[in-house]
Amino acid sequence: MRMKRFLMAAPLALAAVGMFASCSGLSPSKAARIAKDPEAAWDARLAAVHVLSDQTVLAYVAKNDENHYVRLAAALKLDEQHQTTAQAVFADLAKYTPNPNIRRMATEKLTDQTLLADIAKNDEKEGVRIAAIAKLTDIAKNDKNRFIRQEATRKITDPATLADIAKNEKDRMVRYYAILKLTDQALLTDLMQNDPDEYIRKLSRDRLRGVQMRAPNAGGGKVETAKEPTGSQAYRIAKDSKVALGARLAAVKEMTDQTELADVVKNDERDSPVRLAAALKLDEQHQTTAQIAFGDMAKYAKDPNIRRVAIEKLTNPGLLAEIARWGANYADVSMRQLAVNNTHLTDQKLLADIAINDENALIRTAAMKKLTDLTSLTQTLITDMTQNKDGDMRLNAAIRLDALAQATIADQAKNAKFQWTRLRAVEKLNDQATLLDIAKNDQSGEVRAAATLRLNPSHQAAAQAAFADIARTQEDSLIYGPALKRLTDPAVFADLAKNAKSQNVRMDAAKKLADQALLADLAENDPDLGVRYVAAEKLDQQHQALAQAVFADVAKNGDHFSTRRDMVEKLNDQTSLLDIAQNDKHGSVRVAAAKKLDKQHHTVAQSVFANVAKNDPYGWARIAAAENLDEQQQALAQATLADVAKNEKEGPVRLAAGRALNKLYPAAAQAVLADMARNDKDRDTRCEAVRLMTDQTLLADIAKNSEDANVRFATMYRLNDKALLTDFMNNDKSPNVRLAAEQRLDLLKGMERGRKR
């Protein structure tokens, strides 16, 4: 029964699992694996979700997990960029989940007014319906966006809410939608007579008449239907110039009668957004009317937004051509550009004329990009476009007239002032000699790399030599990288391995070598340790003495301790290992070398471990050393690990020391872990210390005296004392701790029942 209550208490369950996850030490990568694993227990997946922040994983879980608690928890953590996914999950849960608590919680997060209205009307549970109604009402009354409030009001059916909005809402259009659904004649009469807004008074009057016409007659007979034609009320509002613009636009949105819409288009003012909105709703049979209106608005409307939409909707090539040219009425360049870009303007002669003669470079470029019949273009066009004073204009023309203007492209690729222009030109350039020149000499690494990639090795014998020359002489990876990838000749790799200027090129070339003599030469003589190491790794058994010498050299002289430590792992030579174990300046390298010493050097190795454990400034090195101390130095090992667990600055290092102590000396570790649980400055470290503990007396003391609810929560899952757990279940001030105690009690009792069976 207690577990059943836990499952029903969804919000508390989610919060409790979240606290459990924070104290369980789950890493994000492990949490991602658990959350996506269908074989994992649902509560483990739920705990993993609370650790996750990876939005891709959360979206996957929200869409695919079979458990509705897990899906809801994942959806609740999705950020603004993933709200489409979140809303889809909330909608699915709100409609189809059997559990009414989950349906209610999902409904509270929904923004889809249509779905909220459906749930408010049809859900079998009163609590879910109330949540949907409350959400709709909240949106309609409080959303900052008036258009959202309007849409929410359109979905509301509750008379009291509609009345409240009609009386108190500030936005006229929100009130409009509320009044359209009112049936309270007394309220409509009051609004008609007393509202300060003339439009609201008229609307209330019209609505009151409609309600009265549909009301039962005095004899209690059948209800009469309205005598007004469909949409006539919206039509009257749209036509009334005294009504506010927003109300007229909303009325057009409601209209469906094409004759009425056409009348608005024909007779409304040219600059009116209402006219444009009506024209956009006309069907195919009324497109002649629409196009006449679009042409009129495109040419003469003063509002640039109306002109812009009208030009985009025009299909008459003649009108588009007129607007595209440079008449006094079309001085706005952006409007003329819209006309040129309109897909219905296709006249090649007209476009060529604009491309040659227009005074504006943007218009010329727009026209030039639409030219398709290049063979019919005159030499005048080619000459004008490729010799224009505007360098970018010349490049655009040259790219468009590619085969006719490679010389212009080459000139721009080599000489244009801006890197972006040169880069675009290189991407269109075919001439291999020019590309090779640019690949070697351009001041921009990005341009040089782009030129290198344009060189064609399958069609030019010189390409391989060019790539080899670039790889041999350049030190910029943006340049030599593409060249190196295109090389295929083994002889070239041998040359590069010995002679390339960049050590990275020599290393990459050495990786492709099989010649043992050459590899041995590189391993012994290259000035760079990295190259020597790469070559040594490829040496065969006959050259292992040389390889070991190289590994020893890198292990002794590498710049970074991690490089030296990695080399130690490849070393077998005891003399070299002994030297490194005794003399390297970094403790972790000395420990790594000492671990590889044979039994004859056991005393030396233990001396190294002891020295590092006592004196090294790095906590990780001290832990590694302590873990390798033998039985005779148990006291030092325990003292070292306890010291690191208490005093190291970094929490992960303290935890590592605690884990190592618990693994090697569990009895001695309990007091150290208890001290960490009580006093460590990091909450996660305190929780993890509790998780490692087994001593029931110490755990009980921590549970009773810790002020941190997170720590008490963690102790609940380690305690075995049922009386103490019962006390926490009934009396702890934290609901999450009480819930954890109850869960632990259920588990212990279940284990007892299992043993009795």
Side-chain angles (χ1 to χ4, degrees):
M1 288 298 294
R2 286 173 179 162
M3 185 55 70
K4 183 177 180 181
R5 289 201 303 274
F6 165 64
L7 294 176
M8 292 297 292
L12 186 58
L14 295 175
V17 173
M19 182 175 285
F20 173 74
S22 70
C23 292
S24 66
L26 272 180
S27 66
S29 59
K30 185 175 181 181
R33 290 197 300 272
I34 294 173
K36 295 171 69 175
D37 184 0
E39 300 299 324
W42 77 269
D43 50 351
R45 300 198 305 276
L46 181 59
V49 164
H50 279 275
V51 173
L52 286 174
S53 59
D54 187 316
Q55 294 294 305
T56 302
V57 178
L58 286 168
Y60 174 85
V61 174
K63 289 188 287 188
N64 298 301
D65 200 277
E66 63 180 17
N67 184 280
H68 45 243
Y69 284 105
V70 179
R71 293 184 67 202
L72 178 62
L76 289 171
K77 293 194 71 177
L78 289 172
D79 60 19
E80 287 298 322
Q81 296 180 359
H82 293 79
Q83 278 308 295
T84 301
T85 298
Q87 285 296 312
V89 174
F90 294 143
D92 182 54
L93 294 173
K95 284 283 289 182
Y96 302 114
T97 300
N99 189 318
N101 286 328
I102 293 296
R103 293 205 307 277
R104 176 181 55 76
M105 293 172 68
T107 297
E108 290 171 352
K109 295 297 181 181
L110 277 177
T111 58
D112 185 327
Q113 287 90 40
T114 302
L115 181 55
L116 285 167
D118 179 61
I119 294 170
K121 183 178 180 181
N122 298 314
D123 197 278
E124 64 181 15
K125 290 294 184 180
E126 181 182 13
V128 182
R129 296 198 303 276
I130 290 172
I133 293 169
K135 184 67 175 178
L136 271 174
T137 303
D138 178 65
I139 293 172
K141 290 184 176 181
N142 301 315
D143 198 279
K144 294 180 180 179
N145 188 314
R146 63 190 179 94
F147 297 108
I148 299 295
R149 297 203 303 279
Q150 291 171 20
E151 288 301 312
T153 301
R154 292 176 67 186
K155 306 297 182 184
I156 290 175
T157 57
D158 179 60
T161 302
L162 291 168
D164 182 38
I165 293 172
K167 289 188 291 185
N168 300 312
E169 168 65 39
K170 294 181 180 179
D171 184 80
R172 175 188 287 175
M173 289 311 301
V174 180
R175 299 179 70 196
Y176 165 84
Y177 286 117
I179 290 170
L180 285 182
K181 302 175 83 171
L182 285 178
T183 57
D184 185 331
Q185 296 187 37
L187 175 58
L188 288 168
T189 301
D190 179 62
L191 292 171
M192 178 185 72
Q193 294 175 347
N194 301 313
D195 199 274
D197 189 316
E198 180 182 2
Y199 167 68
I200 294 295
R201 293 199 301 273
K202 290 181 179 179
L203 179 64
S204 301
R205 179 195 62 199
D206 290 343
R207 178 61 183 163
L208 180 61
R209 288 175 180 172
V211 171
Q212 290 172 339
M213 291 175 67
R214 293 168 174 81
N217 59 26
K222 65 180 180 180
V223 177
E224 295 185 10
T225 57
K227 297 179 181 179
E228 299 173 301
T230 302
S232 61
Q233 184 178 357
Y235 174 53
R236 289 200 306 273
I237 294 171
K239 290 275 289 181
D240 190 347
S241 61
K242 295 181 180 180
V243 173
L245 176 61
R248 296 177 65 207
L249 285 170
V252 169
K253 185 177 179 181
E254 298 291 324
M255 290 171 65
T256 56
D257 188 294
Q258 292 292 309
T259 302
E260 292 177 348
L261 286 167
D263 182 59
V264 174
V265 172
K266 291 175 183 177
N267 298 304
D268 212 71
E269 295 179 3
R270 174 180 293 150
D271 258 338
S272 171
V274 175
R275 185 189 189 198
L276 178 62
L280 292 171
K281 291 193 70 175
L282 288 175
D283 59 19
E284 288 297 323
Q285 296 179 2
H286 294 80
Q287 277 307 296
T288 301
T289 299
Q291 285 297 310
I292 291 172
F294 290 142
D296 182 49
M297 289 183 280
K299 291 172 67 176
Y300 302 115
K302 295 179 181 179
D303 187 334
N305 293 314
I306 293 177
R307 291 174 64 196
R308 183 174 295 108
V309 175
I311 292 170
E312 289 176 345
K313 293 297 180 180
L314 268 179
T315 60
N316 187 316
L319 279 175
L320 288 168
E322 184 181 352
I323 295 169
R325 291 180 181 277
W326 52 92
N329 288 323
Y330 321 118
D332 188 330
V333 171
S334 66
M335 300 300 172
R336 294 173 56 212
Q337 191 171 3
L338 281 173
V340 172
N341 286 332
N342 189 301
T343 56
H344 293 89
L345 185 58
T346 58
D347 187 321
Q348 292 291 295
K349 290 184 179 180
L350 173 65
L351 290 168
D353 181 46
I354 294 174
I356 294 171
N357 297 312
D358 200 276
E359 296 178 357
N360 186 276
L362 289 173
I363 304 298
R364 294 197 306 274
T365 300
M368 178 267 299
K369 287 182 177 179
K370 292 187 70 177
L371 293 174
T372 57
D373 189 10
L374 298 178
T375 57
S376 67
L377 295 181
T378 65
Q379 187 62 39
T380 304
L381 172 61
I382 301 170
T383 303
D384 180 84
M385 297 293 273
T386 56
Q387 295 183 4
N388 194 285
K389 292 181 180 180
D390 185 332
D392 205 50
M393 186 68 187
R394 293 200 305 277
L395 175 61
N396 281 321
I399 291 173
R400 191 71 187 88
L401 308 172
D402 195 353
L404 302 172
Q406 276 290 307
T408 300
I409 294 176
D411 176 66
Q412 289 297 297
K414 290 185 68 175
N415 302 315
K417 178 179 179 181
F418 297 108
Q419 171 184 322
W420 172 243
T421 303
R422 298 199 307 278
L423 186 62
R424 289 180 61 213
V426 163
E427 290 171 352
K428 297 294 181 181
L429 185 60
N430 298 323
D431 182 69
Q432 295 291 298
T434 305
L435 285 167
L436 182 58
D437 180 43
I438 294 169
K440 291 182 178 180
N441 300 314
D442 196 276
Q443 61 185 4
S444 164
E446 191 173 0
V447 175
R448 293 196 298 272
T452 303
L453 288 173
R454 295 282 294 170
L455 290 171
N456 194 337
S458 63
H459 292 88
Q460 291 211 8
Q464 285 289 310
F467 293 142
D469 182 64
I470 291 170
R472 186 185 301 108
T473 58
Q474 302 297 318
E475 293 188 272
D476 187 341
S477 62
L478 287 174
I479 306 171
Y480 71 66
L484 196 61
K485 289 179 181 178
R486 304 284 283 274
L487 283 168
T488 58
D489 190 346
V492 173
F493 288 124
D495 175 62
L496 292 176
K498 291 204 68 174
N499 301 312
K501 189 173 183 180
S502 167
Q503 68 186 54
N504 291 320
V505 173
R506 298 201 305 279
M507 288 171 64
D508 288 340
K511 292 175 183 177
K512 298 179 181 295
L513 295 179
D515 186 328
Q516 291 293 307
L518 180 54
L519 287 168
D521 180 48
L522 291 172
E524 191 168 5
N525 298 313
D526 196 276
D528 182 73
L529 276 177
V531 177
R532 294 180 61 202
Y533 163 66
V534 169
E537 273 205 316
K538 298 200 69 176
L539 288 172
D540 59 21
Q541 288 298 321
Q542 296 180 4
H543 295 83
Q544 280 307 296
L546 174 58
Q548 284 291 306
V550 174
F551 296 150
D553 191 11
V554 178
K556 291 178 182 179
N557 300 308
D559 291 334
H560 197 272
F561 78 88
S562 62
T563 302
R564 301 196 304 275
R565 187 175 57 203
D566 291 343
M567 285 305 100
V568 165
E569 298 301 323
K570 294 184 175 294
L571 268 180
N572 297 318
D573 180 61
Q574 290 293 304
T575 302
S576 298
L577 288 168
L578 186 62
D579 180 35
I580 295 167
Q582 291 177 321
N583 298 310
D584 196 275
K585 58 187 176 183
H586 201 283
S588 66
V589 180
R590 296 201 302 278
V591 169
K595 286 168 66 176
K596 295 199 71 174
L597 290 173
D598 58 23
K599 293 181 179 179
Q600 295 180 2
H601 298 92
H602 177 76
T603 303
V604 175
Q606 287 298 308
S607 175
V608 171
F609 297 144
N611 181 269
V612 173
K614 291 178 185 177
N615 303 313
D616 201 87
Y618 298 103
W620 289 114
R622 296 183 67 200
I623 293 171
E627 287 178 320
N628 285 280
L629 287 167
D630 60 20
E631 301 238 344
Q632 295 181 358
Q633 302 191 75
Q634 281 188 33
L636 175 58
Q638 292 182 28
T640 299
L641 293 171
D643 180 56
V644 175
K646 183 175 183 178
N647 298 312
E648 183 64 28
K649 292 181 180 179
E650 300 295 331
V653 182
R654 297 195 299 274
L655 272 177
R659 289 194 189 99
L661 186 62
N662 192 50
K663 179 181 178 181
L664 296 172
Y665 312 105
Q670 295 302 301
V672 174
L673 292 170
D675 181 65
M676 292 175 70
R678 294 187 184 106
N679 302 312
D680 198 275
K681 58 186 177 182
D682 182 67
R683 186 193 70 183
D684 290 338
T685 302
R686 295 196 299 272
C687 291
E688 178 65 12
V690 168
R691 195 186 72 80
L692 293 171
M693 291 179 64
T694 57
D695 188 301
Q696 293 295 306
T697 302
L698 291 173
L699 283 167
D701 180 69
I702 293 168
K704 292 175 183 177
N705 296 299
S706 177
E707 293 294 325
D708 187 343
N710 295 283
V711 174
R712 297 200 308 279
F713 181 91
T715 59
M716 295 302 104
Y717 292 96
R718 305 298 293 166
L719 286 171
N720 297 325
D721 187 329
K722 287 186 287 187
L724 183 58
L725 286 167
T726 301
D727 181 56
F728 276 101
M729 181 183 73
N730 294 325
N731 300 311
D732 196 272
K733 58 185 178 182
S734 167
N736 296 304
V737 175
R738 296 197 299 271
L739 178 60
E742 182 179 3
Q743 289 180 312
R744 181 64 174 174
L745 275 170
D746 284 340
L747 177 62
L748 292 174
K749 291 177 181 178
M751 292 170 64
E752 284 183 357
R753 289 193 295 270
R755 285 194 294 270
K756 289 178 181 178
R757 293 193 189 121

